[in-house]
Amino acid sequence: MDQLIEQFFNIEIMIAAWPTILRGLWMTLAICAVVIPMGLLGGLFAALGMLSQNRALRWATVGFVDFFRAIPPLVLLIFVYSGLPFAGLRLSPFAAVAIAFLLNNSAYYGEIFRAGIGSVGTGQTEAARSTGLGASQTMAYVVLPQAVRNVLPDLISNTIEVVKLTSLASVVSLAEMLYAADMARSVTYSASPLVLAAGIYLVILWPLVRLVSRFERRIAH
Amino acid sequence: MNAPTQRPSLEVRGLHKHFGTFHALKGVDISVEHSELVFVLGPSGSGKSTMLRCCNRLEEPDAGDIFLEGDPVTGKGVDLNAIRQRIGMVFQSFNLYPHLSARRNVTLALRKVLGQSRDEADARAMAALEQVGLADKSENLPAALSGGQQQRVAIARALALEPQVMLFDEPTSALDPELVGDVLAVMRELKETGMTMLVVSHEMQFAREAADRVIIMDDGQIVEQGSPERIFENPNHARTRSFLSRVTGGA
Ligand SMILES: Nc1ncnc2c1ncn2[C@@H]1O[C@H](COP(=O)(O)OP(=O)(O)OP(=O)(O)O)[C@@H](O)[C@H]1O
Ligand SMILES: [Mg+2]
């Protein structure tokens, strides 16, 4: 028992690994800070594209979304980082992670926004247009606020997935939190840094998970 | 509002509309004079809503011309948003914006279409809500209003833009019977202010009291029109008679 605690919950090792893991945490948050807002924006454009009157644009965005939802994010990341150099395009680990996750993310957020916009009744659009509001004003002030509210649990769920996804960046040697913790593990010969990293993921994500459950309960009632 | 010409306020000529192969409107002509309240009656599926929705082009007509105060509503080069702002529309299902308070339901178009300042729009919205008797509910979300109150806010939303014509599509059909009266009272007051109104509704009693003219539609066409007394007491057409006896329960 003591040995188990020694291996997994060694406080001294955790304290020693803390600066490394903290630097990893910052990197994880930096990836999120790029990928989440831009993914939301990309998703919004993807949704508008999928709902466009323009057939070519509609097909192009539907194709984009289907493709990046179908392709595993790890495959995409390795392709962007290790495949593109064969075409002469060599990206830094951070840029590769940002691009790969942005594509993946825009597709998922796009599908969520599309469902949200679809959940707003046509009567809303008709009422807005009947007062002289233009199509984009109607989207911005009438449809989107309701759409976002209707799919808020899905948006948060997807955001949780994005935070988890950042750990994949370790495979291209980007020193995010998992990578940092694993480094510390190999130096200290202890699993404790990994446990610490897992704990930090939990602390960040658990409140969001609770939030989603609360929304879902409220909607179920 | 005095029109420079003697043309009617709203004029619909030779209106046709198809849905796929279905011919929903088969050449409808309607003109509504200034300050006139015209009532449209007819069986379900006769094309009343479609006709009304063509007037502000929520439905795109296949053929025909529509004029508002002599200005074309149909045809190329029409600034649709500018025309729509001059035509108020009230829907059966209210269609209030559920995420905005009563006041902000009214101010949205004032701010974004007319470009009014916040203070101007708020003042205009409060005046419109006052007119429908709901100034004290201005901060309520639609969900915190009764159906009758929601419909009155919807009327205020249209009214605040100072439209030249108001279109009503069964404004009381979704309401509990005890809430219908308040909405009809607001419409009656609107008529007294000289508003030009084209109303689709099954409120026969209201038609008798308030309408200047009643139009009977059936199968995408106008069957007949005339004063409410003439239409109700002395209909010319068998189709009018059979429709009226059905809705009044054979009385
Ligand atoms: N968007 C649409 N697509 C296909 N058919 C339609 C559409 N809108 C209306 N119709 C058809 O056109 C006809 C006229 O419909 P409309 O809604 O104008 O009738 P209405 O007189 O308003 O009937 P109600 O009293 O039931 O409201 C109906 O047969 C209806 O099924
Ligand atoms: Mg109808």
Side-chain angles (χ1 to χ4, degrees):
Chain A
M1 187 66 199
D2 277 357
Q3 237 175 356
L4 202 70
I5 291 176
E6 189 71 7
Q7 268 308 319
F8 288 92
F9 299 99
N10 188 319
I11 301 294
E12 273 162 37
I13 289 180
M14 284 187 182
I15 291 171
W18 175 246
T20 311
I21 291 183
L22 189 63
R23 254 177 281 128
L25 173 61
W26 283 120
M27 181 56 81
T28 293
L29 294 177
I31 300 169
C32 290
V34 170
V35 167
I36 293 171
M38 288 182 66
L40 283 166
L41 199 65
L44 185 55
F45 282 113
L48 295 176
M50 285 190 280
L51 295 165
S52 158
Q53 304 286 328
N54 182 319
R55 181 180 304 199
L57 180 61
R58 204 165 60 230
W59 285 14
T61 41
V62 168
F64 169 90
V65 168
D66 282 0
F67 181 82
F68 287 108
R69 259 158 48 100
I71 198 159
L74 184 55
V75 173
L76 184 61
L77 174 58
I78 291 177
F79 178 81
V80 170
Y81 185 67
S82 310
L84 287 184
F86 289 94
L89 188 60
R90 190 170 298 279
L91 295 164
S92 72
F94 190 87
V97 166
I99 289 170
F101 291 177
L102 196 58
L103 292 170
N104 171 271
N105 232 333
S106 298
Y108 275 95
Y109 279 130
E111 193 56 32
I112 295 169
F113 278 124
R114 192 190 58 74
I117 291 169
S119 73
V120 179
T122 54
Q124 291 290 310
T125 305
E126 291 185 348
R129 298 305 303 270
S130 79
T131 63
L133 287 166
S136 41
Q137 289 177 317
T138 298
M139 184 55 75
Y141 303 119
V142 175
V143 177
L144 273 183
Q146 298 180 55
V148 168
R149 183 174 304 193
N150 292 351
V151 294
L152 202 53
D154 296 324
L155 288 173
I156 299 173
S157 289
N158 194 57
T159 304
I160 292 171
E161 293 307 314
V162 176
V163 178
K164 294 188 204 165
L165 203 62
T166 58
S167 59
L168 289 188
S170 56
V171 303
V172 296
S173 308
L174 187 64
E176 48 66 60
M177 190 159 63
L178 176 63
Y179 186 87
D182 201 42
M183 289 275 288
R185 186 226 10 110
S186 66
V187 174
T188 59
Y189 298 104
S190 162
S192 300
L194 292 174
V195 171
L196 178 58
I200 294 172
Y201 280 119
L202 205 65
V203 167
I204 296 174
L205 295 179
W206 183 71
L208 291 176
V209 170
R210 283 277 17 110
L211 196 64
V212 173
S213 309
R214 269 188 42 194
F215 274 126
E216 279 165 354
R217 259 211 315 278
R218 209 179 62 192
I219 286 165
H221 281 198
Chain B
M1 194 160 305
N2 285 323
T5 60
Q6 281 307 94
R7 300 186 64 165
S9 182
L10 181 71
E11 199 175 3
V12 175
R13 286 200 216 134
L15 188 63
H16 283 265
K17 176 68 185 175
H18 296 257
F19 292 109
T21 57
F22 179 71
H23 202 168
L25 294 177
K26 304 172 178 173
V28 171
D29 301 278
I30 290 178
S31 61
V32 184
E33 302 300 328
H34 294 98
S35 300
E36 196 183 18
L37 195 166
V38 174
F39 226 82
V40 182
L41 290 170
S44 182
S46 57
K48 307 179 296 293
S49 297
T50 305
M51 179 277 293
L52 216 54
R53 291 159 55 81
C54 282
C55 291
N56 64 355
R57 287 175 59 190
L58 285 182
E59 220 61 84
E60 197 58 47
D62 295 330
D65 297 301
I66 301 172
F67 298 92
L68 174 67
E69 303 291 340
D71 299 329
V73 172
T74 45
K76 287 194 170 53
V78 170
D79 182 347
L80 197 50
N81 293 334
I83 280 284
R84 280 177 172 160
Q85 169 213 310
R86 296 164 56 191
I87 305 175
M89 187 164 214
V90 176
F91 301 84
Q92 177 173 355
S93 49
F94 329 138
N95 297 347
L96 289 185
Y97 314 132
H99 60 302
L100 299 178
S101 67
R103 175 176 53 82
R104 293 191 55 211
N105 262 273
V106 181
T107 56
L108 182 62
L110 297 176
R111 304 264 288 127
K112 304 301 174 188
V113 179
L114 299 187
Q116 291 187 349
S117 72
R118 189 183 303 264
D119 289 347
E120 250 180 315
D122 278 342
R124 176 89 72 87
M126 289 312 292
L129 288 171
E130 183 79 52
Q131 198 172 341
V132 299
L134 287 174
D136 57 329
K137 303 282 186 193
S138 64
E139 299 315 308
N140 286 35
L141 287 176
L145 296 170
S146 74
Q149 291 170 336
Q150 288 188 48
Q151 190 60 298
R152 282 145 68 199
V153 172
I155 293 173
R157 175 172 69 185
L159 196 58
L161 289 160
E162 301 184 331
Q164 290 162 317
V165 178
M166 285 190 56
L167 311 173
F168 292 81
D169 193 359
E170 306 205 25
T172 57
S173 297
L175 297 177
D176 292 336
E178 71 271 21
L179 301 176
V180 168
D182 291 341
V183 171
L184 294 182
V186 166
M187 291 172 68
R188 201 171 280 126
E189 281 167 29
L190 261 185
K191 175 175 166 51
E192 276 156 25
T193 67
M195 179 60 73
T196 307
M197 296 155 83
L198 183 56
V199 180
V200 173
S201 167
H202 294 296
E203 298 291 339
M204 295 296 174
Q205 190 55 37
F206 182 67
R208 274 174 196 275
E209 293 163 16
D212 296 302
R213 185 151 50 95
V214 173
I215 294 176
I216 305 289
M217 274 185 76
D218 191 14
D219 193 24
Q221 288 169 311
I222 290 179
V223 177
E224 63 176 311
Q225 52 183 304
S227 69
E229 300 77 43
R230 218 272 293 139
I231 295 287
F232 292 134
E233 310 305 337
N234 211 351
N236 288 338
H237 286 260
R239 280 200 281 181
T240 310
R241 274 192 293 277
S242 78
F243 166 71
L244 288 175
S245 71
R246 253 182 293 137
V247 292
T248 56

